[in-house]
Amino acid sequence: MTFLLQWAVYALSVGIAAYVLPGVSVSGVPAAAVAALILGIVNAFVRPLLLILTLPVTVLSLGLFAFVINALLILLVAAIVPGFAVAGFWWAVLLSIVLTIVRFALSGLLR
């Protein structure tokens, strides 16, 4: 049950972020749900591997390179999921920040 709730929160976060950011577009609820699912899978499996491989660069940049990794993963998901589009790299960085803030706020409301 918690998986479905987290997925719903993530899908709602993607929808809210797409509404707030003009460089991000979602064609509808199914696209937001699929984007949230693929983002969750990518964040669970690919992101830790990339963080380990780029650990020296991340440490030298004081953790700011993690934003680059997040943005690249969001662009990857945008390339995979039809109906989910991100205008460019900087919009992907802003999307990762907005997603983090919205997910934190929504998770806090559900607790």
Side-chain angles (χ1 to χ4, degrees):
M1 184 65 182
T2 60
F3 170 74
L4 291 177
L5 188 61
Q6 289 175 354
W7 181 36
V9 166
Y10 209 8
L12 185 61
S13 300
V14 168
I16 291 171
Y19 180 75
V20 170
L21 298 173
V24 179
S25 66
V26 176
S27 64
V29 175
V34 172
L37 180 66
I38 301 297
L39 271 171
I41 291 170
V42 166
N43 281 336
F45 295 109
V46 178
R47 187 174 183 266
L49 179 66
L50 288 177
L51 285 176
I52 290 171
L53 290 175
T54 61
L55 188 62
V57 177
T58 305
V59 169
L60 286 175
S61 68
L62 301 175
L64 294 177
F65 194 71
F67 286 117
V68 173
I69 292 172
N70 288 341
L72 292 175
L73 292 177
I74 287 173
L75 289 173
L76 172 70
V77 171
I80 294 172
V81 177
F84 176 64
V86 180
F89 176 77
W90 293 109
W91 286 113
V93 171
L94 283 174
L95 177 63
S96 70
I97 293 169
V98 170
L99 278 177
T100 302
I101 293 168
V102 171
R103 282 183 61 202
F104 179 74
L106 290 175
S107 296
L109 287 174
L110 291 176
R111 288 188 185 161

